[in-house]
Amino acid sequence: MPRVVFTPVLQRHVEATPATVPGATVREALEATFAAVPRLRGYVLDDQGALRHHVVVFVDGEAVRDRERLSDPVTPAAEITVLQALSGGST
Amino acid sequence: MSDRLFVATRKGLFAVERSKRAKKPTWKIAGVSFLGDPVSIVLPDRRDGSVLAALDLGHFGVKIHRSRDGTGNWSEVAAPQYPPEPPGDGERDSFGRKLEWKLRKVWALAAGSADEPGVIWCGTIPGGLFRSPDSGASWAMVRPLWDHPDRKLWFGGGADWAGIHSICVDPRDSRHVTVGVSCGGVWVTPDGGANWKCQADGMWASYMPPEKKDDPRIQDPHQVVQCRAKPDCLWAQHHNGIFRTTDGAAWWRELKEVPPSVFGFAVAVHPEEPDTAWFVPATKDDKRVPVDGKVVVARTRDGGKSFDVLRKGLPQAHAYDITYRHGLDVDETGTRLAFGSTTGSLWISEDQGDSWTELSSNLPPVYCVRFG
């Protein structure tokens, strides 16, 4: 099953520990993590269910392309990494 | 009188308290919450002593936290959520720019009346009004306003998209609610949000072509406040002027002779005296600094016929502090005032603005100041 890892920055706000979850797409894997920690959803996805503008997701080191539907496939051995984009930084 | 003040800033929420131990009472920063995180607005709820704070986390979105007693023990509650966008190409604003149905900022929080404990109103960017029946545990969008065809005429002022920044709940009737929209005028519901009417007649807009300048639906009231004792009296600091209504927003009268300037963002009205109001002026919209580098507060006690320019205790040389629309507050007695600035200054007055004490000049940029 794929493993989902979150940026440590998220830990300051919400429980976001690495999790091994079922799922054949990025969406399915993330939904599985949200099922365990519902509050996490609003930190990663926006009102319409797309990736937040300043959040990026990598699958085995490659940035996901479908930021709206999160349909990128993942293998059982995949590592999905959820990070904050530097574009969202501010002073 | 209020002995506590909350100051929401770009880098956290500060609690400021008045100490009575010293011979001369002093105000000091008593604590900070959410240090490092932008706090766009704070609402001390006088009905039960709780406090709501809206965070704008940038990467991770807008969050709302609640403290039962305002002492720093916070827990996250729900954030307003926009409804699913209809299928299609999506909405565009009146200037043709894409408008996504996504929460960008909480720009207003207001408690309902005493007869509806737990009710909270929330204004957002883009252009949303939400109501919580349970102190923020859940929110529902006020769809009749969002779905009103005239909302499509709104556009951003001070932000990329239109936003609701002022919410006035009528003390006589909690179903009667007035909201201010930048840029979209002043909207009034008589029935708790089911029906809405734009009531900004009398306002005019210098930033629109002549054919549109009197359209109430495109006005930019930077802030709207309501007198608690005389709720038919409201004041507005508008983008290009100061306006007042004494008939429940049926007609807004412009006050043209206001020293040193009619431009600014913040206004506060005395809770008992509808003719007494305070403003923190700046030069003009394309020169957003204090007039002549001097921070002042303009106060009227006669409904705008005349103004005192108050400056005792405020910097009078090379000061470039701007006070945002929620950056000025008056306490529930109308005696104490406080305002904060974009350059991190915070001033408090205990004599209706006649004199001011600087509490800090090193805070983060101040977004919102509220007694409570």
Side-chain angles (χ1 to χ4, degrees):
Chain A
M1 293 195 292
R3 184 165 181 264
V4 183
V5 180
F6 296 92
T7 170
V9 177
L10 257 178
Q11 297 284 355
R12 191 159 70 87
H13 305 292
V14 61
E15 179 189 344
T17 50
T20 301
V21 294
T25 65
V26 171
R27 169 76 66 185
E28 290 175 5
L30 289 180
E31 290 291 354
T33 66
F34 300 152
V37 186
R39 204 157 61 87
L40 187 55
R41 170 191 292 273
Y43 285 79
V44 178
L45 305 183
D46 66 25
D47 305 50
Q48 302 301 322
L51 267 188
R52 287 197 170 280
H53 188 68
H54 295 302
V55 169
V56 287
V57 173
F58 292 86
V59 177
D60 295 329
E62 295 292 324
V64 304
R65 309 298 298 177
D66 180 2
R67 296 177 56 88
E68 282 72 41
R69 291 180 299 142
L70 300 169
S71 61
D72 292 37
V74 294
T75 67
E79 177 146 311
I80 301 169
T81 310
V82 180
L83 298 176
Q84 81 275 26
L86 293 184
S87 59
S90 69
T91 57
Chain B
M1 280 181 273
S2 294
D3 289 335
R4 190 171 60 170
L5 182 68
F6 290 94
V7 183
T9 78
R10 190 165 175 168
K11 301 284 185 181
L13 175 67
F14 296 83
V16 177
E17 292 179 356
R18 187 177 190 266
S19 169
K20 297 170 188 165
R21 291 181 190 166
K23 281 186 179 176
K24 183 183 177 189
T26 54
W27 293 80
K28 288 186 176 171
I29 294 173
V32 56
S33 303
F34 315 112
L35 185 62
D37 295 326
V39 181
S40 63
I41 207 93
V42 60
L43 171 67
D45 189 340
R46 288 176 181 143
R47 296 170 302 179
D48 61 5
S50 66
V51 180
L52 283 178
L55 277 58
D56 183 0
L57 294 182
H59 297 96
F60 305 118
V62 171
K63 314 297 172 196
I64 296 181
H65 289 250
R66 181 171 187 262
S67 173
R68 283 180 179 275
D69 53 9
T71 58
N73 295 316
W74 298 91
S75 57
E76 187 176 342
V77 293
Q81 185 172 0
Y82 283 63
E85 288 187 19
D89 294 336
E91 181 177 331
R92 292 186 179 273
D93 72 8
S94 62
F95 295 150
R97 297 176 296 206
K98 192 166 185 185
L99 192 159
E100 297 178 307
W101 291 20
K102 298 177 179 179
L103 178 60
R104 305 290 183 180
K105 186 190 288 285
V106 167
W107 219 13
L109 285 171
S113 287
D115 64 346
E116 45 179 15
V119 168
I120 306 284
W121 296 85
C122 176
T124 60
I125 297 175
L129 181 67
F130 294 81
R131 183 180 184 275
S132 171
D134 47 19
S135 303
S138 66
W139 297 92
M141 178 182 250
V142 180
R143 285 302 294 252
L145 185 57
W146 182 253
D147 294 333
H148 196 291
D150 286 352
R151 181 185 63 80
K152 300 287 182 68
L153 301 174
W154 299 358
F155 53 85
D160 283 351
W161 301 276
I164 294 176
H165 47 66
S166 301
I167 303 170
C168 306
V169 180
D170 193 322
R172 300 166 301 189
D173 177 4
S174 55
R175 293 165 57 80
H176 189 277
V177 180
T178 303
V179 303
V181 187
S182 288
C183 302
V186 178
W187 289 76
V188 180
T189 177
D191 51 18
N195 292 282
W196 291 88
K197 185 180 175 192
C198 185
Q199 295 189 196
D201 288 339
M203 293 182 178
W204 67 279
S206 64
Y207 46 86
M208 292 297 279
E211 298 81 2
K212 296 274 192 189
K213 76 177 182 64
D214 297 317
D215 189 334
R217 302 166 300 178
I218 53 78
Q219 299 301 321
D220 183 12
H222 285 170
Q223 196 191 15
V224 178
V225 292
Q226 183 174 41
C227 178
R228 186 180 67 202
K230 298 281 186 185
D232 285 337
C233 177
L234 299 99
W235 292 81
Q237 171 65 70
H238 182 282
H239 188 87
N240 50 261
I242 290 172
F243 295 85
R244 182 182 190 235
T245 175
T246 54
D247 53 14
W251 178 259
W252 292 84
R253 182 171 62 86
E254 184 178 11
L255 306 176
K256 294 179 180 174
E257 303 299 327
V258 183
S261 163
V262 297
F263 180 77
F265 297 96
V267 52
V269 60
H270 192 294
E272 301 291 336
E273 301 170 11
D275 288 347
T276 299
W278 296 263
F279 300 83
V280 186
T283 305
K284 56 181 179 175
D285 65 345
D286 59 352
K287 196 175 182 182
R288 299 182 180 195
V289 294
V291 177
D292 299 329
K294 299 174 180 177
V295 174
V296 300
V297 171
R299 180 187 63 201
T300 178
R301 294 186 188 276
D302 54 13
K305 293 187 186 74
S306 66
F307 283 82
D308 301 313
V309 179
L310 310 169
R311 60 181 82 237
K312 187 177 179 184
L314 301 174
Q316 296 300 294
H318 286 291
Y320 302 104
D321 302 72
I322 286 294
T323 294
Y324 285 149
R325 66 198 76 211
H326 304 114
L328 166 71
D329 196 26
V330 59
D331 82 341
E332 76 279 8
T333 68
T335 305
R336 295 177 177 167
L337 290 107
F339 71 106
S341 80
T342 49
T343 40
S345 297
L346 177 68
W347 295 281
I348 297 177
S349 171
E350 296 196 352
D351 52 13
Q352 295 196 321
D354 286 336
S355 63
W356 297 87
T357 299
E358 181 183 277
L359 190 130
S360 177
S361 58
N362 300 104
L363 290 172
V366 174
Y367 293 146
C368 178
V369 169
R370 289 291 177 265
F371 285 102

